[in-house]
């Protein structure tokens, strides 16, 4: 207990130095890395979201608070985050503490934010109000995880909101609350941040950034038409959480265009569109015949719909439709006009795209973008300071052991919470 007492004294001594700040980090640029699902084109409502990850190797370094202050070493979070009706932000989270090269302590925790005001329903766990917003914090069970391993985090909202997990051979629901709604994907929440679904790595809370490496694969699923489906749009980063990482690279595995997944590896934490991506399209016109070829990564794409559109008085008008052969080619005969558009509607992980035959039409269509181009533009223009810093605390069921340093970290959060010093929660209501 002497170690614990010394730790408490140090913590109380530094609490005046803990300040609320925006989600900038000790590093120049960092993001919550993994993948997210956010739609620019329509809004999805679903009763279940799920993140699945297969981890081959993982190494967790040091983490820092937003002001650059050192926080801890060997601790990080894996977060499944989603908005409910644009009014609540739900976080199903694993806090990892590294024990050895391939062994980790995995502790389930959650945050549930009411973006409209305090919570008025009775709940199990810690409940507080911060900046007028209600927050529920809860700590669930802990497990020892040995790599390689597979992990599933899921949330279901069917009159009751459930937080669930599957870690190795352990699975279950570790928290539920009577909150009815649907997970909303697309548009903006009441707080002005995207209604996305995120499955991302980040620091262990408080908007912290962690230096870490992960090798593995992951994916996000959502309930659609009664079955869990792969997400149709995917980014390499999360938009809502302020916790971030350096050292993880997210890229797309599009070997099977109908079953993509995200590859996690060591490298630069870049904000990119994972899918859909643009294929390669080429055209050739000879007299009245137009030849179109479509491929991806050098491989021909067969049975792909191609449309020839003409410029009419009311805009573009389809004049011919055909499908590519096994070599990725399609031929259109009797195309007499030199002014036309070759349009590809897209196919799940392949973005829509078009080729314009004339600079005149091209000038008319400058406002038109492919799905991929629209997603890239969104990434480039998005203000990543609009995010929420998490805090993972639980007063009722936390246990502490002097042999496990991750418990000291949880204790710091609880102490900060209990004295009103919350390392967390910066929303758009701050004028940026």
């Amino acid at each position: 207990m002497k170690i614990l007492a010394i730790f408490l004294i140090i913590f109380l001594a530094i609490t005046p130095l803990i300040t609320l700040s925006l989600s900038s980090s000790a590093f120049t640029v960092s993001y919550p890395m993994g993948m997210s699902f956010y739609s620019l084109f329509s809004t999805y409502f679903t009763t279940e979201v799920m993140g699945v990850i297969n981890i081959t190797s993982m190494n967790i370094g040091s983490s820092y608070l937003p002001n650059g202050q050192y926080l801890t070493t060997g601790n990080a979070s894996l977060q499944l985050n989603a908005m409910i009706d644009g009014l609540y932000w739900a976080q199903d989270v694993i806090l990892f503490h590294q024990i050895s090269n391939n062994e980790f302590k995995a502790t389930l925790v959650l945050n549930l934010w009411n973006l409209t005001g305090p919570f008025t329903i009775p709940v199990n766990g810690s409940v507080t109000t911060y900046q007028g917003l209600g927050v529920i914090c809860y700590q669930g069970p802990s497990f020892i995880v040995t790599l390689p391993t597979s992990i599933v985090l899921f949330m279901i909202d069917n009159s009751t909101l459930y937080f669930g997990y599957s870690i190795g051979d352990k699975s279950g629901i570790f928290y539920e609350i009577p909150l009815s709604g649907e997970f909303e994907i697309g548009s903006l929440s009441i707080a002005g941040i995207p209604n996305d679904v995120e499955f991302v790595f980040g620091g262990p809370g408080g908007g912290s950034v962690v230096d870490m490496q992960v090798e593995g694969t992951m994916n996000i699923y959502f309930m659609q038409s009664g079955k869990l489906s792969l997400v149709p749009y995917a980014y390499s980063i999360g938009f809502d959480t302020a916790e971030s990482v350096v050292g993880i690279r997210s890229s797309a595995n599009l070997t099977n265009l109908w079953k993509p997944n995200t590859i996690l590896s060591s490298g630069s934490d870049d904000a990119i569109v994972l899918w859909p991506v643009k294929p390669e399209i080429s055209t050739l016109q000879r007299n009245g015949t137009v030849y179109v070829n479509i491929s991806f990564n050098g491989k021909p794409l067969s049975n792909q719909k191609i449309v020839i559109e003409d410029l009419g008085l009311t805009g573009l008008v389809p004049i011919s439709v055909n499908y590519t052969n096994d070599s990725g080619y399609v031929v259109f005969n009797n195309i007499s006009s030199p002014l036309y558009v070759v349009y590809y509607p897209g196919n799940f992980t392949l973005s829509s795209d078009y080729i314009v035959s004339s600079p005149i039409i091209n000038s008319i269509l400058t406002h038109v973008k492919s799905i991929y181009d629209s997603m890239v533009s969104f990434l480039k223009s998005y203000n990543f300071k609009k995010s929420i810093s998490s805090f993972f605390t639980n007063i009722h069921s936390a246990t502490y052991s002097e042999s496990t340093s991750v418990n000291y970290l949880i204790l710091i959060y609880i102490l900060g919470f209990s004295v009103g010093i919350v390392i967390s929660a910066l929303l758009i209501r701050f004028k940026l």
Side-chain angles (χ1 to χ4, degrees):
M1 293 303 293
K2 289 182 179 179
I3 297 177
L4 179 59
I6 293 171
F7 210 95
L8 296 180
I9 292 171
I10 293 173
F11 173 76
L12 294 174
I14 67 171
T15 49
L17 302 178
I18 299 174
T19 57
L20 297 173
S21 71
L22 295 174
S23 59
S24 60
S25 72
F27 300 91
T28 304
V29 177
S30 60
Y31 306 100
M33 293 299 299
M35 63 181 298
S36 67
F37 170 30
Y38 180 67
S39 173
L40 299 174
F41 317 103
S42 58
T43 301
Y44 295 82
F45 290 90
T46 181
T47 58
E48 182 173 356
V49 293
M50 174 185 291
V52 178
I53 184 170
N54 298 298
I55 304 176
T56 303
S57 65
M58 182 164 63
N59 182 66
I60 305 174
S62 298
S63 56
Y64 300 83
L65 293 174
N67 61 6
Q69 180 183 344
Y70 169 79
L71 178 60
T72 182
T73 296
N75 298 285
S77 64
L78 174 63
Q79 308 185 19
L80 176 67
N81 303 329
M83 287 286 179
I84 301 173
D85 295 331
L87 304 176
Y88 302 92
W89 193 49
Q91 298 180 265
D92 191 352
V93 179
I94 293 177
L95 286 179
F96 285 109
H97 170 65
Q98 186 155 9
I99 299 172
S100 66
N101 286 340
N102 68 336
E103 193 174 41
F104 298 81
K105 183 174 183 179
T107 302
L108 289 157
V109 296
L110 68 84
N111 280 178
L112 179 63
W113 291 82
N114 182 357
L115 303 181
T116 66
F119 279 103
T120 57
I121 53 179
V123 297
N124 182 21
S126 304
V127 185
T128 187
T129 301
Y130 180 73
Q131 294 289 335
L133 307 178
V135 191
I136 296 173
C137 312
Y138 183 80
Q139 178 188 332
S142 295
F143 306 97
I144 299 299
V145 174
T146 301
L147 303 184
T149 191
S150 297
I151 293 174
V152 178
L153 294 177
F154 62 90
M155 294 184 288
I156 301 171
D157 199 338
N158 187 9
S159 298
T160 300
L161 174 60
Y162 299 95
F163 294 80
Y165 68 94
S166 175
I167 303 175
D169 60 351
K170 309 292 184 182
S171 63
I173 303 291
F174 75 98
Y175 191 82
E176 62 183 74
I177 183 172
L179 180 66
S180 180
E182 290 184 297
F183 299 103
E184 183 175 355
I185 308 160
S187 70
L188 298 178
S189 71
I190 194 172
I193 54 180
N195 293 317
D196 70 348
V197 179
E198 310 169 335
F199 193 40
V200 292
F201 283 96
S208 57
V209 55
V210 62
D211 187 355
M212 65 181 297
Q213 293 79 45
V214 176
E215 301 285 338
T217 60
M218 65 165 38
N219 227 327
I220 296 175
Y221 301 83
F222 71 114
M223 187 65 69
Q224 187 179 41
S225 301
K227 65 178 182 179
L228 285 170
S229 303
L230 287 169
V231 298
Y233 311 110
Y235 299 89
S236 64
I237 47 83
F239 295 103
D240 292 351
T241 185
E243 285 74 55
S244 60
V245 304
V246 292
I248 295 180
R249 177 176 182 264
S250 292
S251 59
N253 176 10
L254 302 179
T255 304
N256 185 333
L257 293 174
W258 291 99
K259 294 182 180 180
N261 63 6
T262 299
I263 300 174
L264 303 174
S265 59
S266 298
S268 175
D269 49 322
D270 297 326
I272 63 171
V273 175
L274 296 174
W275 67 78
V277 295
K278 290 199 295 187
E280 295 86 38
I281 303 176
S282 62
T283 63
L284 175 65
Q285 183 176 18
R286 291 178 178 172
N287 299 322
T289 303
V290 176
Y291 302 86
V292 180
N293 175 253
I294 182 169
S295 61
F296 179 71
N297 285 343
K299 297 180 179 180
L301 296 174
S302 62
N303 199 36
Q304 301 297 304
K305 181 180 180 180
I306 304 292
V307 182
I308 298 288
E309 298 178 331
D310 196 3
L311 184 61
L313 296 177
T314 58
L316 292 173
V317 179
I319 58 174
S320 185
V321 178
N322 209 339
Y323 291 82
T324 58
N325 60 20
D326 290 342
S327 298
Y329 281 91
V330 61
V331 178
F332 294 90
N333 297 310
N334 302 318
I335 305 299
S336 57
S337 172
L339 307 178
Y340 61 85
V341 173
V342 176
Y343 175 66
Y344 174 59
N347 197 348
F348 196 59
T349 50
L350 296 178
S351 169
S352 62
D353 202 6
Y354 61 88
I355 291 180
V356 180
S357 69
S358 164
I360 297 176
I361 297 182
N362 193 49
S363 64
I364 296 173
L365 297 179
T366 53
H367 66 286
V368 178
K369 294 182 179 179
S370 71
I371 291 175
Y372 173 82
D373 291 330
S374 297
M375 293 173 71
V376 169
S377 296
F378 174 72
L379 268 181
K380 290 181 177 179
S381 62
Y382 184 71
N383 180 5
F384 283 91
K385 290 183 179 179
K386 297 180 179 180
S387 56
I388 306 176
S389 299
S390 310
F391 60 101
F392 304 120
T393 62
N394 176 56
I395 292 176
H396 297 290
S397 64
T399 58
Y400 310 106
S401 167
E402 293 188 16
S403 64
T404 308
S405 60
V406 69
N407 287 329
Y408 290 128
L409 177 64
I410 295 174
L411 180 59
I412 288 176
Y413 288 132
I414 293 174
L415 287 172
F417 175 81
S418 63
V419 298
I421 302 171
V422 182
I423 314 169
S424 59
L426 292 157
L427 299 175
I428 193 177
R429 60 175 61 202
F430 284 88
K431 296 182 178 179
L432 303 179

